[in-house]
């Protein structure tokens, strides 16, 4: 059974940092492109970062590109999202997801090509 479990969320002040982790089981992480998504209250889910299975393709949305870093450790079956200079508008439930094809090189932001999802970890940034 494929499982993705996010951790590392919390309440921080604007300007601070957090690192999210996504621990996976039931799959060989090196065979999957991985993404981070978030959903704020009253808003649609948005893809924020994507990393290909060998980390040769990394993509971000513009609003996080200079502040967030996606990375992966395939040996530990873990995906990471380092977030710095957090803003109140980053407040959301953050999800990780796995895609079994070459997703990060194409249209990944909608999330439609991701087949496995975690339950999310809450990030709240106070002003």
């Amino acid at each position: 059974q494929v499982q993705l479990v996010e951790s590392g969320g919390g309440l921080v002040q604007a300007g601070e940092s957090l690192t999210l982790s996504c621990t996976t089981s039931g799959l060989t992480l090196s065979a999957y492109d991985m993404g981070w998504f978030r959903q704020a209250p009253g808003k649609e889910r948005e893809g924020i970062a994507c990393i290909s299975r060998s980390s040769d393709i990394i993509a971000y949305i513009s609003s996080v590109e200079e502040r967030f870093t996606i990375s992966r450790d395939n040996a530990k079956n873990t995906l990471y999202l380092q977030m710095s200079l957090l803003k109140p508008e980053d407040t959301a439930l953050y999800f990780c997801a796995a895609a079994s094809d070459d997703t990060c090189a194409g249209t990944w932001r909608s999330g439609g090509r991701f087949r496995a999802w975690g339950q999310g970890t809450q990030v709240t940034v106070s002003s």
Side-chain angles (χ1 to χ4, degrees):
Q1 182 180 359
V2 174
Q3 285 192 317
L4 284 67
V5 179
E6 303 90 342
S7 61
L11 172 63
V12 297
Q13 293 187 333
E16 294 185 339
S17 300
L18 277 176
T19 296
L20 305 184
S21 298
C22 170
T23 303
T24 69
S25 59
L27 56 80
T28 302
L29 187 62
S30 60
Y32 292 81
D33 284 11
M34 298 294 293
W36 283 102
F37 295 78
R38 67 185 180 187
Q39 187 166 19
K43 295 188 177 181
E44 293 188 356
R45 184 187 65 198
E46 64 172 348
I48 58 173
C50 195
I51 184 169
S52 63
R53 59 204 67 187
S54 60
S55 302
D56 59 335
I57 298 174
I58 294 177
Y60 301 95
I61 58 170
S62 58
S63 61
V64 308
E65 188 166 14
E66 299 298 323
R67 301 183 296 120
F68 291 8
T69 301
I70 187 171
S71 62
R72 62 194 295 161
D73 186 334
N74 289 338
K76 294 183 178 179
N77 287 324
T78 303
L79 175 74
Y80 303 98
L81 185 68
Q82 295 174 278
M83 306 185 293
S84 62
L85 299 175
L86 283 162
K87 304 175 181 180
E89 51 264 44
D90 294 318
T91 295
L93 188 62
Y94 283 71
F95 303 88
C96 61
S100 60
D101 55 8
D102 293 329
T103 294
C104 295
T107 54
W108 58 271
R109 290 183 58 184
S110 68
R113 298 177 67 180
F114 290 83
R115 293 294 175 257
W117 294 82
Q119 294 299 307
T121 185
Q122 179 67 36
V123 173
T124 302
V125 185
S126 64
S127 59

